Amino acid sequence: MTFTTRPTLRGTFGMVSSTHWLASQAAMGMLERGGNAFDAAVTAGFVLHVVEPHLNGPGGEVPAIVATAQDPTPKVLCGQGPAPAGATIAHFRSLGMDLIPGAGPLAAAVPGAVDAWLLLLREHGTLTLAEVLEPAIDYADAGHPLLGRVVDTVTAVRSLFEEHWPTSAQLWLRDGRPPTAGERFANPAYARTLRRLVQAGLAAGGDREAQIEAARRAWGTGFVADEIDRFSRRPFQDSSGRPHAGLVTGDDMAAYSATWEEPVTLDWHGYSVAKTSFWGQGPVLLETLAALDALDDPGAYDPATAAGIHAQVEALKLAFADREAWYGDGADVPAKALLSREYARERAALIGDRASWELRPGRPDGAQPRLPAHVRAGAVRSADRSDATTGEPTVQSDGVTRGDTCHVDVVDRWGNMISATPSGGWLQSSPTIPELGFPLGTRLQMFWLEEGLASSLAPGRRPRTTLSPTMVHRDGQPVLACGTPGGDQQDQWQVPFLLRHLVGGQTLQEAIDAPAFHTVGLPESFYPRDMEPGVLVVEDRLDDATVAALRAYGHEVRVSDAWSLGRLCAVSRDPATGVLAAGANPRGMQGYACGR
């Protein structure tokens, strides 16, 4: 029997996997109350705002993929807010900027997470707003044991808070110091915000859906929108080194609503793999799987060998090059061509026995790719500004975060399933709005300040997010939901997981525990948008012979700590038997699955 850090959980009642044990258990509590997978996911989402505030928040976003017992066809819930009306290339250029800052109010998109969670609860949940928000309110009001990584984040940006972001200092530097790991930490302002949403719902009467709609109005056109509008007008220092006011207004809040959309899918090895569409990076995973298939080499599917890792990394590089040239919201994306078998064969033909250090976007349907000038100039990451060997966020003293997030998967006894990746609105992203208890996000940094690109900034456009939940179907039924934090690494860590589990037959936990790797030879989605050509990061649990072979392929291999890459979550269901399973990432020692 293969050793794993914990068992693959199995049962028939319900399974939850998330990046924090309190979110997992709170979600499981909703299942025990008789709620379904969607009630549980909403509960987990709001608890994650409280217990992983350095990785997500109410001012951020959440994409999710959903399949219901009544209609197992996958649907995408888009909780990615767009650029506000004032976010134009001309505005940023008038401020002397070539890139959108990585921290500060100027980089905020319209918050999308809360409206998306509430839309999910209204459409597919069964419990009341008060019931699903109860755990988050309790943890925000009475406190919870604070993660050491939250403390590390606050410590890293302490001077920024003290000198430039006083509202954040009021929350995170009480008594003039950062909190301590394990300290019982409360956020009363956010507890009051959630209570006011519940109260707005109760004032609408006894109908569950009417209550949820009233809470959505309180968020989008009521007291939350009013406070965001007022606070956005105040200038604060951002990562440009200068103070600027934000751009999100009450009108932007009122104009936004989360949406339901069709996913993009790939038929692969008897499965259908569903991702969000080309406004996010999700199709990178589909392009990669298609290219590996086109190699027609079973060895390319094995993430335990140098040959398999090499093939997977080279396929990923090609897909990410296409992301830079072709992916974006509202752009004329050649979606059908990018996922065609013919195109996959073209791309696979570029994978040889030497690692490429070039960014090589393709020409779907013969179209000429266009890359940003910043990328064409060959910006290279400076050695002293980041640590590319960790899946946790790297935070600089000016608040810039290379990015990480949270994840939650749930499946219930009826066959409802969801994969959701909440992110943004980190505590270090922007000053805390004191009346609300949370900051806005910085997702605009993923736009380019250059006209004519697939991901050029424009009001109303969604940023080309890195957030990438996954759902897998077999014979029309959902069988797997998975995902991971990690910014540009999200799909990179999911590819070997899927190969190990769906092709190699490993259990969920075996596939999660196995040594991880990723390339940083691609333009970062996060400010300052740099890259490290040829660099392949691997956990040091890979044996010396495999590392040597990868170097012989031409990769510049950087060896990371043994348990440092990836934070995968996964749940599954066998439609024939109704048996459910779950696994969770041991890295970071905070992700957990639970179920029965």
Side-chain angles (χ1 to χ4, degrees), residues 89-102:
I89 291 176
H91 177 73
F92 282 89
R93 291 293 190 182
S94 74
L95 300 176
M97 294 182 178
D98 296 321
L99 295 173
I100 296 173

Side-chain angles (χ1 to χ4, degrees), residues 281 284 317-328 359 361 369-372 375 446 448 453-455 464 488 522-525 529 531:
Q281 80 173 18
V284 160
K317 288 178 187 176
L318 293 169
F320 275 103
D322 280 343
R323 182 191 74 169
E324 290 307 311
W326 299 110
Y327 292 19
L359 194 68
R370 182 175 176 188
L371 293 172
V375 172
M446 295 180 174
W448 294 106
L453 301 174
S455 54
R464 194 221 62 217
D488 295 305
L522 51 94
E524 278 190 329
S525 295
R529 313 300 297 270
M531 64 183 291

Side-chain angles (χ1 to χ4, degrees), residues 314-401:
E314 293 304 295
L316 281 161
K317 288 178 187 176
L318 293 169
F320 275 103
D322 280 343
R323 182 191 74 169
E324 290 307 311
W326 299 110
Y327 292 19
D329 184 32
D332 187 17
V333 180
K336 185 176 180 181
L338 285 168
L339 295 179
S340 69
R341 291 184 179 180
E342 295 76 16
Y343 186 70
R345 286 194 291 268
E346 288 180 24
R347 302 300 273 163
L350 297 177
I351 301 174
D353 58 5
R354 294 292 297 173
S356 173
W357 287 38
E358 299 177 5
L359 194 68
R360 301 180 289 175
R363 300 182 61 185
D365 286 338
Q368 184 66 34
R370 182 175 176 188
L371 293 172
H374 181 79
V375 172
R376 296 197 309 273
V380 177
R381 184 178 305 150
S382 58
D384 62 351
R385 67 155 290 269
S386 67
D387 174 10
T389 64
T390 175
E392 295 296 324
T394 299
V395 184
Q396 298 172 231
S397 59
D398 61 1
V400 173
T401 302

Side-chain angles (χ1 to χ4, degrees), residues 210-274:
Q211 290 179 356
I212 297 168
E213 279 303 296
R216 293 180 75 193
R217 290 193 297 273
W219 177 271
T221 61
F223 76 97
V224 175
D226 291 343
E227 294 296 345
I228 288 175
D229 184 279
R230 275 193 290 269
F231 195 77
S232 288
R233 299 172 191 271
R234 296 176 56 182
F236 287 91
Q237 179 164 301
D238 54 42
S239 49
S240 72
R242 304 186 305 276
H244 296 101
L247 298 171
V248 179
T249 67
D251 288 342
D252 293 314
M253 293 288 293
Y256 174 74
S257 178
T259 54
W260 292 102
E261 302 178 1
E262 295 301 314
V264 292
T265 60
L266 178 73
D267 292 332
W268 180 79
H269 285 254
Y271 298 96
S272 176
V273 184

